[in-house]
């Protein structure tokens, strides 16, 4: 207690409480961790010991950390904001020079921390895995960069032996048989994933055969086609044009006629076998049209597609399907082709004349209509007695009604004392004739297996005869 007294005896008092100075300091983060992303803010606080200690705390960094400019720091409040990736040490200091240090890491969420690979975006590949491809196969490798969703980087592919395989747009393209190491490396962070590519080349083509000359109209397209010898050979074919301003060809062999002139399209196998086709491009006379530009079919439907030639010389017409698993082309006769729909999807049917005229029809295949459930019921009793010589007309109810035209009447069981004469004779219209004493089972059935039956007992005729 502090007391002040005046000369005339008046007094005033003040109670003073003296608290201890801190003996130690600990630093705490409001985020509960020692890291944060660029742009985030963290508030640091000093916990003094003993708990009733009092002191002003100032916040600082070493001069070297200040120069790095990794964070901004408020010396009074302890507020820290991340500016760029790196590590710094924050120092808290009391009035009596007690200090504490806080190691803080600033993270760039766009910086890759790891890279992994998946096959076709589905199967994860582990480090050092081997991927086996035949020479004519390609597979997509999808890089998975962590942290997922925030990392930003390009990926560079580095095959150790680019003569065996290369990567283009994340697709592995075999070049020749052999084994090569393949490294995927991020352009930022230098993270790597390594696998091995094994290219199999069991049967090399000895020859590539196909058209050696073709006429095309300006603006038309043609899919380069070839066959290999031997037929079980496998290869990857590359295409080139001697004059792409006249006729160009893409990586898949699609040739596009551009202007009058001639150009040679070369198809080359991986082992150097070549097929050259001279393309003559010119303005074509006449025109070729499909009877319709689009067509809708159902699975299992067939359709006879016709072409219409107008003027000029057309010659024979060839039909192709862009996907024969959807719609295939059967017999072709006099500019008509029989189409058969196999599965749902869309494809393009192309008709091309000898002179290079083309016409297309887009075919959409829809699901087949659901089949109505079939059933068969023979009218009347399921057990019938007849006498030798009797004739009985059986009738059946069939669902759906139009299936009745496919109804088949038959005898599935017949038993008599005679090995030569059956108990019942049955015609195709359901008419039964009793021939001999015995038993029989008749049946009415449809091709899908739906059926019904009746048991017949044949007795002696009134005159006592066993047979007719």
């Amino acid at each position: 207690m502090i007391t002040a007294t005046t000369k005339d005896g008046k007094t005033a008092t003040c109670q003073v409480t003296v608290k201890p100075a801190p003996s130690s300091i600990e630093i705490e983060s409001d985020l509960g961790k020692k890291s944060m992303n660029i742009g985030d803010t963290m508030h640091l606080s000093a916990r003094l010991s003993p708990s009733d200690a009092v002191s002003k705390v100032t916040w600082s960094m070493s001069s070297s950390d200040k120069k790095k400019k990794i964070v901004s720091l408020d010396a009074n409040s302890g507020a820290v904001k991340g500016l760029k990736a790196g590590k710094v040490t924050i120092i808290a200091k009391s009035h009596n020079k007690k200090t504490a240090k806080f190691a803080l890491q600033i993270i760039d969420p766009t910086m890759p921390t790891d890279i992994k690979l998946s096959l076709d975006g589905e199967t994860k590949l582990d480090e050092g895995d081997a991927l086996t491809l035949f020479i004519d196969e390609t597979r997509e490798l999808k890089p998975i960069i962590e942290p997922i969703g925030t990392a930003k980087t390009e990926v560079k592919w580095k095959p150790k032996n680019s003569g065996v395989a290369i990567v283009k747009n994340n697709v592995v393209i075999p070049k020749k048989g052999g084994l090569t190491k393949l490294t995927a490396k991020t352009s930022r962070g230098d993270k790597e994933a390594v696998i091995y590519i094994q290219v199999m080349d069991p049967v090399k083509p000895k020859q590539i055969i196909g058209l050696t000359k073709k006429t095309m109209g300006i603006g038309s397209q043609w899919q380069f086609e070839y066959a290999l010898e031997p037929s079980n050979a496998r290869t990857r074919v590359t295409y080139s044009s001697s004059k792409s301003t006249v006729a160009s060809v893409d990586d898949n062999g699609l040739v596009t006629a551009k202007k009058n002139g001639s150009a040679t399209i070369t198809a080359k196998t991986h082992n150097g076998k070549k097929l050259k086709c001279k393309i003559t491009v010119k303005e074509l006379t006449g025109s070729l049209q499909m009877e319709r530009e689009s067509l809708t079919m159902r699975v299992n439907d067939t359709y006879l597609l016709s072409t219409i030639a107008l003027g000029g010389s057309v010659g024979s017409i060839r039909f192709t399907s862009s996907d024969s698993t959807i719609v295939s082309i059967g017999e072709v006769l006099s500019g008509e082709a029989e189409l058969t729909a196999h599965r749902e999807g869309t494809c393009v049917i192309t008709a091309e004349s000898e002179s290079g005229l083309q016409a297309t029809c887009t075919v959409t295949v829809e699901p087949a209509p659901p089949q109505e459930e079939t059933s068969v019921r023979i009218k009347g009793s399921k057990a019938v007695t007849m006498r030798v010589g009797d004739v009985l007309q059986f009738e059946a109810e069939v669902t759906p009604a139009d299936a009745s035209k496919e109804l088949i009447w038959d005898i599935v069981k017949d038993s008599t004392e005679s090995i030569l004469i059956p108990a019942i004779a049955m015609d195709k219209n359901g008419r039964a004739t009793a021939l001999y004493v015995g038993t029989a089972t008749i049946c009415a059935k449809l091709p899908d297996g739906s059926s019904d039956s009746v048991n017949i007992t044949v007795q002696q005729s009134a005159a006592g005869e066993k047979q007719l």
Side-chain angles (χ1 to χ4, degrees), residues 131-171:
L131 173 62
T132 300
L133 298 175
F134 282 98
I135 191 68
D136 57 345
E137 288 183 301
T138 58
R139 297 296 292 272
E140 181 183 8
L141 291 177
K142 181 180 179 181
I144 303 172
I145 313 296
E146 296 181 356
I148 296 174
T150 61
K152 295 180 180 179
T153 185
E154 294 181 355
V155 175
K156 296 181 180 180
W157 300 93
K158 297 182 178 180
K160 187 174 183 180
N161 185 347
S162 58
V164 172
I166 61 172
V167 179
K168 185 177 181 181
N169 297 326
N170 293 346
V171 176

Side-chain angles (χ1 to χ4, degrees), residues 212-274:
T212 57
K213 60 181 180 178
K214 182 175 179 60
T215 300
M216 298 179 66
I218 295 175
S220 65
Q221 292 184 316
W222 170 63
Q223 180 61 51
F224 197 105
E225 296 179 342
Y226 63 86
L228 300 176
E229 291 185 357
S231 59
N232 63 338
R234 304 181 72 151
T235 190
R236 184 181 58 83
V237 174
T238 55
Y239 300 91
S240 62
S241 171
S242 64
K243 192 175 290 187
S244 58
T245 57
V246 173
S248 63
V249 61
D250 67 11
D251 291 342
N252 297 313
L254 183 64
V255 181
T256 301
K258 294 185 174 181
K259 69 176 185 179
N260 286 334
S262 61
T264 299
I265 304 298
T266 302
K268 182 180 178 182
T269 67
H270 73 284
N271 64 330
K273 305 301 179 182
K274 295 179 181 180

Side-chain angles (χ1 to χ4, degrees), residues 98-337:
K98 298 298 180 180
T99 61
K101 295 182 178 181
F102 186 86
L104 176 62
Q105 182 173 9
I106 306 301
I107 299 170
D108 180 356
T110 68
M111 181 63 70
T113 58
D114 196 9
I115 178 173
K116 293 180 173 61
L117 300 177
S118 70
L119 186 60
D120 299 328
E122 298 177 357
T123 305
K124 182 180 175 182
L125 298 175
D126 293 326
E127 188 79 4
D129 276 358
L131 173 62
T132 300
L133 298 175
F134 282 98
I135 191 68
D136 57 345
E137 288 183 301
T138 58
R139 297 296 292 272
E140 181 183 8
L141 291 177
K142 181 180 179 181
I144 303 172
I145 313 296
E146 296 181 356
I148 296 174
T150 61
K152 295 180 180 179
T153 185
E154 294 181 355
V155 175
K156 296 181 180 180
W157 300 93
K158 297 182 178 180
K160 187 174 183 180
N161 185 347
S162 58
V164 172
I166 61 172
V167 179
K168 185 177 181 181
N169 297 326
N170 293 346
V171 176
V172 181
I173 302 173
K175 304 291 282 185
K176 69 176 183 179
L179 178 69
T180 185
K181 177 181 177 181
L182 178 62
T183 302
K185 186 175 183 179
T186 62
S187 59
R188 300 176 67 216
D190 291 333
K191 301 301 178 182
E192 293 184 350
V194 175
I195 61 170
Y196 292 86
I197 306 296
Q198 177 71 61
V199 178
M200 306 296 291
D201 187 9
V203 182
K204 295 181 176 66
K206 295 181 179 179
Q207 188 178 6
I208 177 171
I209 56 178
L211 291 179
T212 57
K213 60 181 180 178
K214 182 175 179 60
T215 300
M216 298 179 66
I218 295 175
S220 65
Q221 292 184 316
W222 170 63
Q223 180 61 51
F224 197 105
E225 296 179 342
Y226 63 86
L228 300 176
E229 291 185 357
S231 59
N232 63 338
R234 304 181 72 151
T235 190
R236 184 181 58 83
V237 174
T238 55
Y239 300 91
S240 62
S241 171
S242 64
K243 192 175 290 187
S244 58
T245 57
V246 173
S248 63
V249 61
D250 67 11
D251 291 342
N252 297 313
L254 183 64
V255 181
T256 301
K258 294 185 174 181
K259 69 176 185 179
N260 286 334
S262 61
T264 299
I265 304 298
T266 302
K268 182 180 178 182
T269 67
H270 73 284
N271 64 330
K273 305 301 179 182
K274 295 179 181 180
L275 168 62
K276 295 186 177 184
C277 180
K278 182 180 179 181
I279 304 294
T280 300
V281 180
K282 62 182 182 180
E283 290 281 358
L284 299 179
T285 59
S287 66
L288 181 67
Q289 299 176 3
M290 289 286 196
E291 62 169 276
R292 55 197 308 167
E293 294 181 352
S294 62
L295 171 67
T296 299
M297 302 176 67
R298 291 185 179 272
V299 173
N300 297 324
D301 280 356
T302 59
Y303 184 83
L304 191 63
L305 183 65
S306 301
T307 56
I308 302 170
L310 301 174
S313 175
V314 174
S316 63
I317 297 175
R318 178 172 176 266
F319 290 82
T320 57
S321 171
S322 63
D323 191 336
S324 58
T325 65
I326 297 176
V327 177
S328 64
I329 297 172
E331 185 177 0
V332 177
L333 183 65
S334 300
E336 295 181 329

Side-chain angles (χ1 to χ4, degrees), residues 375-393:
S375 64
V376 179
R377 187 182 71 84
I378 299 176
K379 296 179 180 180
S381 174
K382 299 301 179 186
V384 175
T385 299
M386 300 176 66
R387 291 184 179 277
V388 173
D390 286 353
V391 176
L392 187 60
Q393 178 66 53

